[in-house]
Amino acid sequence: MKPRSRRDTWRLLVLIAPSLFWLLIFFLVPLVMVLVISFGQRGTYGGIVWDFTLSNYARFFDPLYLRIFGRTAGIALATTVICLVGGYPMAYFIATRPPRWRNTLLLLLMIPFWTNFLIRTYAWLLILRDQGLVNMVWTGAVHNLFLHLATAYPAATLFSSLAGLTSVPLELFGTNGAIIVGLVYAWLPDMVLPCYAAIERLDFSLVEAAQDLYANRVKSFLRVVLPLTMPGLVAGSVLVFIPALGAYVTPDLLGGAKSIMIGNVIYSQFMSARDYPFGSAISFVLMAIMLIATLIYFRLGSD
Amino acid sequence: MSEHAVELVRVDKHFGTVVAVDTVSLSIRNGEFYSLLGPSGCGKTTTLRLIAGFEMPTAGQVYIDGELQGETPPYRRPVNTVFQNYALFPHMSVFQNVAFGLEMRHVSKEVIQHSVFEVLEMVQLPGMERRRPGQLSGGQQQRVALARALVNHPKVLLLDEPLGALDLKLRKAMQLELKALQERVGITFIYVTHDQEEALTMSDRIAVMNKGQVLQIGTPEEIYERPASRFVADFIGETNFLEGKVAAVRNGEVAVEIGDALLVYAPLERDAVVGDTVVIAVRPEKISLSTTPEDPRALPGVVREVVYVGTDTRYLAELAGQVTVMVREQNLAEETARRLSAGTAVYVCWQPQSARLLRG
């Protein structure tokens, strides 16, 4: 659509001015700043030496950082897959309830998110750490049960070995698993909501049509429901994958010292190492990867 | 092969406390064009869904080709459905839509290719294979839906108001085309509609339904000429209802007194004794008006309204200042259209066998 007159052009400019201004000041300018800094060098005392170098980008390909990035990508992918496998059926369930139930169920899904993100993540720390809720039951009730069984049936060695196993706490905290649990918990609604929107829009007479044409439940799902709700699934996956890839708080709290993600590396470059150029370079690489991954994904999903 | 394509034996379907289908029994013969006719909410679509397997009966049995269906899911029943909104798969081409059923039954690619082209030819949609349903007109989508079902050569084709979304002219053309198609392929059609004219035009037999029950089953002529109840007479076509009390029963004929000393006659088609409250139903086109009393049973009246409607003229005639009847007279010649005017004194009469005696 072309603006028909100068007046229309002006009206258009006035209308988009606020968002244009917002994007310019808070998105484009910082982005350019980060880009420029990423080609600089760290000064001896932490400042920025303004000369042009690609060494920061070359440094990203150091095995140390590649390994962290690999772990980050793995965690983000696992988070997305788990959210998908758990969130899609949840969305399907909600979308197929009678209309009066749907809003209630969606509300129940959202309620936990009225609590501050930091507090919710901290709660997981209290659940997963060595003296946490899970291990209290593990080394308490479960351990006692097996101890009891071992004394009752001394012949069964299984019980005594199980009693031995439960005497030490499970190593939950500080693992990739702990981070994934925290991330899935944090981003699940971002998967459920777009999937819900897609499934709710689905015309279920199409499912009946498929079944009428000899497709059983599995086939009618794969051939009709899944392709038609794919846009929601793709949107949900992107909405989960991107924040998970750049996660910082969750791995910081639940990953301990051993499991760190690329977000923590960027943080430490800016805050502890005071190497702004390297931190900027990692940020840019991460952004490029996210962009490429998203484009590929949308392309695949639109087929 | 069973004599009956579909049989329903005392089938009930309840949704919570709502009784959608109430002890319905139907026997639909092989190759028949069978219509389920009734107002919306009468249970006709639910009956169709019970045959398709989308709903399971609360009580009673559904047989398809002599086999008890029980809880058999829709994908194992030898029937196919043409849905009211067509339910074409929007993400598939016309070819893929039509091929879907064959593909699900693992028919070979060559056979699928051949069958799809053949059936698209039959519904007059050749060359549309690559289009998406969204790129087709309503009438074309309707044809794709038909092709998608017919390509499977089902035992029975179920059609749920398939012409409901089309405009009048297209609908009329499709009615004739569907009927011709049905005769050509020889498949049993079960056709759900609320349009009485559509049912009369196309069907071999019609089951008229209301409030979940089947009220009458018969050929279009039987349903139209000999309605079994006031509802059927009223729902199918136009009818004059004359309420009164039986005054005499003799010689296989019943005389009914309507209002004050106005006697009308009807064949005694059901038990009636003097004093019963009954209704006499007479179709408007069976009544004739004349200015002279040619028939001793003719009733005196006055023309109150004259409406010219092209093919015929409608009169409202008042009988003895008490009851009003509608009369339809075909405009055979131009001058007959303006034969009578409002206020003319007339004699109203009809053949006794044209009147139907119904329960009051």
Side-chain angles (χ1 to χ4, degrees), chain A residues 203 205-217 219-220 223-225 227-228, chain B residues 49 54 74-75 80-81 83 85 87-92 101 103-106 148 152:
Chain A
D203 176 5
S205 71
L206 296 175
V207 180
E208 288 191 341
Q211 297 200 355
D212 188 66
L213 296 162
Y214 319 109
N216 59 28
R217 278 167 226 285
K219 275 188 178 159
S220 57
R223 294 291 303 270
V224 175
V225 179
L228 288 174
Chain B
R49 292 172 61 81
F54 300 131
Y75 49 87
N80 289 113
T81 307
F83 292 84
N85 59 356
L88 298 176
F89 305 124
H91 58 301
M92 295 182 198
E103 212 181 302
M104 288 300 124
R105 288 193 300 174
H106 307 291
R148 185 176 69 172
N152 303 295

Side-chain angles (χ1 to χ4, degrees), chain B residues 91-112:
Chain B
H91 58 301
M92 295 182 198
S93 67
V94 167
F95 183 93
Q96 289 169 316
N97 264 283
V98 177
F100 192 88
L102 297 174
E103 212 181 302
M104 288 300 124
R105 288 193 300 174
H106 307 291
V107 173
S108 77
K109 274 215 160 60
E110 298 80 61
V111 175
I112 290 179

Side-chain angles (χ1 to χ4, degrees), chain A residues 90-109 196 200:
Chain A
M90 202 185 282
Y92 193 94
F93 176 82
I94 297 173
T96 50
R97 288 317 95 191
R100 65 202 154 89
W101 279 99
R102 291 181 203 161
N103 284 339
T104 315
L105 289 167
L106 286 177
L107 189 72
L108 286 175
L109 180 77
Y196 167 81
E200 203 246 0

Side-chain angles (χ1 to χ4, degrees), chain B residues 207-260:
Chain B
V208 183
M209 294 184 72
N210 190 37
K211 292 179 180 162
Q213 292 176 321
V214 171
L215 300 181
Q216 190 175 358
I217 298 173
T219 63
E221 292 89 331
E222 284 166 355
I223 300 273
Y224 187 80
E225 300 293 345
R226 288 189 292 285
S229 63
R230 185 170 179 157
F231 178 86
V232 175
D234 198 23
F235 189 73
I236 319 263
E238 289 172 317
T239 309
N240 291 298
F241 292 110
L242 306 169
E243 290 172 42
K245 276 193 164 50
V246 175
V249 181
R250 78 175 86 83
N251 301 335
E253 204 176 52
V254 59
V256 176
E257 185 179 358
I258 53 167
D260 188 20

Side-chain angles (χ1 to χ4, degrees), chain A residues 158-281:
Chain A
L158 176 72
F159 292 131
S160 57
S161 53
L162 279 173
L165 195 69
T166 52
S167 63
V168 285
L170 290 167
E171 199 191 313
L172 301 171
F173 173 73
T175 59
N176 293 344
I179 299 176
I180 291 169
V181 166
L183 287 175
V184 166
Y185 175 71
W187 301 111
L188 189 65
D190 289 53
M191 179 65 81
V192 175
L193 290 177
C195 287
Y196 167 81
I199 297 165
E200 203 246 0
R201 266 205 313 270
L202 182 73
D203 176 5
F204 276 87
S205 71
L206 296 175
V207 180
E208 288 191 341
Q211 297 200 355
D212 188 66
L213 296 162
Y214 319 109
N216 59 28
R217 278 167 226 285
V218 175
K219 275 188 178 159
S220 57
F221 176 78
L222 292 177
R223 294 291 303 270
V224 175
V225 179
L226 198 60
L228 288 174
T229 53
M230 195 50 92
L233 208 143
V234 169
S237 302
V238 169
L239 285 178
V240 172
F241 183 74
I242 289 181
L245 198 66
Y248 159 69
V249 173
T250 313
D252 195 50
L253 281 179
L254 300 177
K258 287 175 290 176
S259 242
I260 63 168
M261 287 173 71
I262 204 78
N264 307 86
V265 177
I266 296 172
Y267 173 85
S268 65
Q269 291 309 316
F270 281 98
M271 306 311 283
S272 346
R274 302 207 142 261
D275 192 342
Y276 283 29
F278 185 48
S280 302

Side-chain angles (χ1 to χ4, degrees), chain B residues 118-304:
Chain B
E118 195 182 60
V119 79
L120 285 177
E121 194 83 43
M122 190 163 74
V123 299
Q124 295 169 31
L125 271 185
M128 296 281 184
E129 298 81 18
R130 295 242 189 102
R131 301 264 188 103
R132 293 277 169 125
Q135 298 169 306
L136 302 178
S137 71
Q140 289 171 325
Q141 290 185 25
Q142 212 279 322
R143 286 159 192 270
V144 176
L146 201 59
R148 185 176 69 172
L150 280 177
V151 77
N152 303 295
H153 299 291
K155 201 80 216 132
V156 181
L157 187 70
L158 309 172
L159 302 103
D160 187 5
E161 310 228 8
L163 308 181
L166 305 180
D167 62 66
L168 189 67
K169 217 160 188 164
L170 190 54
R171 196 156 72 216
K172 296 259 189 206
M174 280 303 290
Q175 284 174 12
L176 298 175
E177 210 179 302
L178 260 181
K179 176 71 183 158
L181 188 70
Q182 190 262 343
E183 277 163 11
R184 192 138 55 95
V185 295
I187 293 172
T188 311
F189 275 34
I190 303 179
Y191 193 98
V192 161
T193 182
H194 66 269
D195 183 336
Q196 41 110 358
E197 200 192 318
E198 202 166 280
L200 291 175
T201 316
M202 305 168 78
S203 319
D204 294 321
R205 281 199 299 160
I206 300 170
V208 183
M209 294 184 72
N210 190 37
K211 292 179 180 162
Q213 292 176 321
V214 171
L215 300 181
Q216 190 175 358
I217 298 173
T219 63
E221 292 89 331
E222 284 166 355
I223 300 273
Y224 187 80
E225 300 293 345
R226 288 189 292 285
S229 63
R230 185 170 179 157
F231 178 86
V232 175
D234 198 23
F235 189 73
I236 319 263
E238 289 172 317
T239 309
N240 291 298
F241 292 110
L242 306 169
E243 290 172 42
K245 276 193 164 50
V246 175
V249 181
R250 78 175 86 83
N251 301 335
E253 204 176 52
V254 59
V256 176
E257 185 179 358
I258 53 167
D260 188 20
L262 215 54
L263 278 182
V264 295
Y265 300 85
L268 185 67
E269 288 167 325
R270 59 194 72 232
D271 292 337
V273 292
V274 174
D276 277 358
T277 307
V278 293
V279 177
I280 298 293
V282 194
R283 299 282 184 195
E285 74 273 14
K286 313 271 188 202
I287 305 178
S288 63
L289 300 175
S290 62
T291 44
T292 50
E294 285 155 9
D295 190 310
R297 283 173 173 178
L299 303 163
V302 179
V303 174
R304 284 286 171 232

